[in-house]
Amino acid sequence: NAGVTQTPKFQVLKTGQSMTLQCAQDMNHEYMSWYRQDPGMGLRLIHYSVGAGITDQGEVPNGYNVSRSTTEDFPLRLLSAAPSQTSVYFCASRTGGGSYEQYFGPGTRLTVT
Amino acid sequence: GESVGLHLPTLSVQEGDNSIINCAYSNSASDYFIWYKQESGKGPQFIIDIRSNMDKRQGQRVTVLLNKTVKHLSLQIAATQPGDSAVYFCAENGLGADGLTFGKGTHLIIQP
């Protein structure tokens, strides 16, 4: 299994541009999440999905959209990039049931100028 | 708001010594806690977890202790090795159905 994969690894955007961060997992996990990690801070939940067709907001959802059309994929869209969205973005997945153990992707480092 | 935090941003230990990384949480509704290790440039990696109905759980060279009375969580690493150098995060399921609330992290530095 490849686990959780993310593309791209690095991205530079200008303010106002839009883009999609890709995330895929091949473990047939029901749950998928997007986090952002800023210097000196822990990870903060942006959006999550408990299954295909179902998404919900996390702690910091503003400026981001998600969709879950398949079990495998969970893209994160930045509608109009702002410098405040400069961060490292991590996608994670986990099985259903009682375990909260999440498997994280390698991250996408995004810089908005 | 309620959050998970760590007492020290950096912890320096001698190779071979035991490391203890502490975490305080404030959401009394959380019933699941997890420790992650994050090496530079990589995503967090699961180390060990514990449910609120337990006080202690052991893995390979690692032990997690949970004190619900004072809302305190700790990670003990035995015989610390250079490969243990990383940032360690505690997390709790304080967000309910999904997603974890993470602490800010402790950078563990191993002295030769």
Side-chain angles (χ1 to χ4, degrees):
Chain A
N1 287 352
V4 181
T5 57
Q6 292 182 237
T7 57
K9 292 185 73 66
F10 301 94
Q11 182 70 51
V12 179
L13 292 177
K14 294 188 187 306
T15 297
Q17 288 185 314
S18 62
M19 79 158 294
T20 299
L21 308 185
Q22 302 291 343
C23 174
Q25 53 91 10
D26 61 359
M27 297 172 282
N28 201 33
H29 284 170
E30 297 175 48
Y31 292 76
M32 297 186 74
S33 309
W34 275 102
Y35 293 85
R36 60 177 288 173
Q37 184 175 35
D38 300 302
M41 300 185 71
L43 287 79
R44 291 182 292 168
L45 182 66
I46 305 172
H47 285 285
Y48 65 94
S49 168
V50 300
I54 305 170
T55 64
D56 209 341
Q57 296 181 348
E59 299 174 79
V60 289
N62 292 341
Y64 307 96
N65 272 359
V66 291
S67 59
R68 185 93 180 273
S69 56
T70 66
T71 299
E72 294 78 19
D73 301 297
F74 191 43
L76 177 72
R77 280 180 287 277
L78 279 71
L79 309 173
S80 178
S84 61
Q85 294 179 303
T86 293
S87 189
V88 182
Y89 291 84
F90 289 100
C91 179
S93 73
R94 70 173 179 92
T95 62
S99 173
Y100 283 81
E101 179 186 348
Q102 302 208 37
Y103 296 80
F104 284 85
T108 294
R109 183 174 294 275
L110 175 68
T111 301
V112 183
T113 61
Chain B
E2 295 182 322
S3 64
V4 179
L6 288 156
H7 294 313
L8 293 172
T10 303
L11 176 65
S12 183
V13 299
Q14 293 289 128
E15 183 179 346
D17 287 353
N18 296 336
S19 301
I20 300 176
I21 301 171
N22 294 306
C23 179
Y25 68 95
S26 58
N27 189 343
S28 56
S30 296
D31 60 2
Y32 180 89
F33 304 89
I34 193 166
W35 280 99
Y36 281 93
K37 173 185 179 182
Q38 186 176 25
E39 296 175 288
S40 181
K42 297 183 178 180
Q45 180 183 9
F46 170 85
I47 302 173
I48 193 167
D49 58 2
I50 189 167
R51 294 197 173 276
S52 60
N53 61 354
M54 301 173 69
D55 297 321
K56 178 180 179 179
R57 190 158 189 237
Q58 288 183 293
Q60 186 178 11
R61 280 201 309 118
V62 295
T63 300
V64 55
L65 298 177
L66 175 64
N67 185 331
K68 297 180 287 294
T69 302
V70 295
K71 297 192 183 73
H72 185 267
L73 190 69
S74 69
L75 176 70
Q76 300 177 4
I77 304 173
T80 310
Q81 303 170 358
D84 295 327
S85 180
V87 177
Y88 290 82
F89 293 96
C90 63
E92 61 176 323
N93 66 334
L95 297 176
D98 199 274
L100 297 168
T101 301
F102 283 79
K104 292 183 170 56
T106 292
H107 185 193
L108 180 63
I109 298 171
I110 314 303
Q111 305 281 4

